[in-house]
Amino acid sequence: MVNESGFTQKCVDDIIGEAVIALLKSGGPITTSSLLTQLTDMAEISVNQQRTEACLQGIVEIKQSISKNYQERSQFLRNQSSLFESSNTLHRYDTKH
């Protein structure tokens, strides 16, 4: 499948995989931040324009994933909060016990 930047998803996935392997070999932590830094470093040192663009596309996809997950978590927490508030409202006036 080709995304809007013209790269196949496999190409971008391969670049992200290379970045993860580099992090594993370095012995450092594998975090989203370190992965984004590794991809940025790979893009900066690459002499192949397609590889550079694939690194940058990988960064975009990871940031989009972070944003989507953040929005989903925020919505979940809002839903949980509203459930908690509505259940407290039901019992607020019950002073017989």
Side-chain angles (χ1 to χ4, degrees):
M1 182 170 122
V2 178
N3 62 24
E4 61 259 1
S5 299
F7 295 106
T8 63
Q9 190 60 48
K10 180 172 178 3
C11 181
V12 175
D13 290 347
D14 288 347
I15 290 292
I16 293 171
E18 284 181 41
V20 170
I21 290 170
L23 291 172
L24 286 169
K25 287 182 178 179
S26 73
I30 300 177
T31 63
T32 304
S33 178
S34 64
L35 180 57
L36 290 171
T37 299
Q38 181 65 36
L39 285 167
T40 301
D41 292 347
M42 289 168 60
E44 288 175 355
I45 64 170
S46 178
V47 293
N48 179 315
Q49 185 64 28
Q50 185 176 7
R51 182 176 171 83
T52 299
E53 291 177 15
C55 289
L56 297 176
Q57 182 61 33
I59 291 168
V60 167
E61 289 183 14
I62 291 167
K63 287 182 176 182
Q64 287 173 341
S65 176
I66 292 168
S67 177
K68 181 181 176 196
N69 288 337
Y70 176 79
Q71 290 170 357
E72 288 173 356
R73 266 194 317 258
S74 294
Q75 184 61 46
F76 173 79
L77 291 174
R78 281 192 296 274
N79 291 343
Q80 294 300 312
S81 177
S82 67
L83 286 174
F84 178 74
E85 289 170 4
S86 66
S87 69
N88 279 345
T89 304
L90 294 174
H91 302 290
R92 184 181 310 169
Y93 301 108
D94 185 8
T95 57
K96 294 179 184 178
H97 296 93

